[in-house]
Amino acid sequence: MSIRFHVSKNKYFPRDTFSILSAQSIGPDNNFYFLFNSPIVLGEILPERIVINKEIEKFKWERNFLENIQKRRENLINLLKNNGFNVKNFQSICPWHLIIGLGGVHPQETSMTLHHIYGIPYIPGSAVKGVTKHWAVLKFAEQKMNKDNKSFEDAVEQISSDLEKGNELDLEIGNIKFGELIKIFGTQKHQGKVYFIDAYPVSDINLKIDIMNPHYPDYYSGKQPPADWQNPKPVEFLTVEKTTFRFYLISQDNSLLQKSEVLLKEALEKFGIGAKTSLGYGIFKI
Amino acid sequence: MPDRESLITKLEKGRAEFAYRCVKEVVDENSSNKELLKNYRAYSRKIPQMILSNGLGQTLAFVKSKAKNGNAYELLYSQMMDYLRSDSTARIKMPDNIELVEWVISLDSQNYRYVTEEILAFLNWVKRFAEGLIETEEESEE
């Protein structure tokens, strides 16, 4: 299906480009990155406010396009397999909303991480590794809290610091030793032995507009106390909904690889990835 | 002729000097307004990123829509305007009687790209001087 890009509500392009854009519909053969980065600019003469273009919720990628990306990915993975790397992969659906890169720079002030070539929502490998490491820290901190009778906050800080510096600790959870965490994630001096690869969507990508609704906008702006007479101003942002992603982990150490997979699956299922995990966003079904 | 020669020999055609004067002026005139200085420093990093992903036209639309009451957006907007009228951007001089964002979208693609490059180069210097002259909360605690 094709959607019409509302150029009449965004004239902020060079003159000749605007002429071209005004003259045509923009459909699935156009890069979503461009659509997402062309929000609606309100104000007749001078710009007054910039809001998300809700039409983009209807955008659908051609299946052939997604399949070709997938194929290219698998070719890369096979190359790595043929060169001595072990690969673990699994796919998983986020049954509700997922938002990666909400705080990124954007004129509408809410954003999403899109692939810089394909223009599709994806989960960067750095985010995958980050959430796995964070989950591991929480688990080991809980054990340290119980063992040393510390507060949880102190334990988290201590575990994070020791993991960062590569200090061995005599802790083990579910067949995973703390020393193995150091090898998996690495330190400033030693590269981690497990690579966390970007996760791409493997089925249809479903977009959904969501809102956050701060009830005390004047308080957050620093002017007024949080009082109930203020008018909430809903902020709309884009999420990915009911979409399946495939995750890859690769390493030359098969034992560490298996343990990383266990940690990643737990993190995705029990903690979530991306923004607003404390509100239930980004939880995956394992 | 002497002015033109000295302009050519200045660091990046006088861009660095112009940027330094802009940042110094902001810091000197707002030394007691920590919030504004913090925002000025943060926005000088954020605006170039927005230009790269959304284009100069939309970025200026964003900055203009946010510019109010002498805030950091307004300062940066007027400084970009002053820079485009300065001798450092001699190739295309911005006219006096037009709003910056309106002028930018009236350009054709080639000139639009030139102005984009000039603004990015200027903000690169603004960012560096802002980081040097404006302390963050962590830095001032040391």
Side-chain angles (χ1 to χ4, degrees), chain A residues 10-17 33 36-39 41 45-50 105-109, chain B residues 46 49-50 53-54 57-62 64-66 73 99 101-102 104-109 112:
Chain A
N10 189 334
K11 58 183 180 180
Y12 294 91
F13 297 96
R15 192 185 60 235
D16 46 345
T17 305
Y33 193 99
F36 182 68
N37 283 299
S38 306
V41 183
I45 307 297
L46 290 177
E48 290 167 20
R49 202 157 64 92
I50 298 179
V105 171
H106 199 289
Q108 71 203 17
E109 296 191 280
Chain B
K46 166 172 148 178
Q49 285 183 62
M50 195 180 290
S53 61
N54 294 86
Q58 292 186 93
T59 301
L60 291 178
F62 170 76
K64 182 61 184 176
S65 71
K66 287 289 201 174
Y73 285 118
E99 189 69 53
V101 64
E102 284 182 301
V104 162
I105 63 177
S106 73
L107 299 171
D108 61 44
S109 292
Y112 179 95

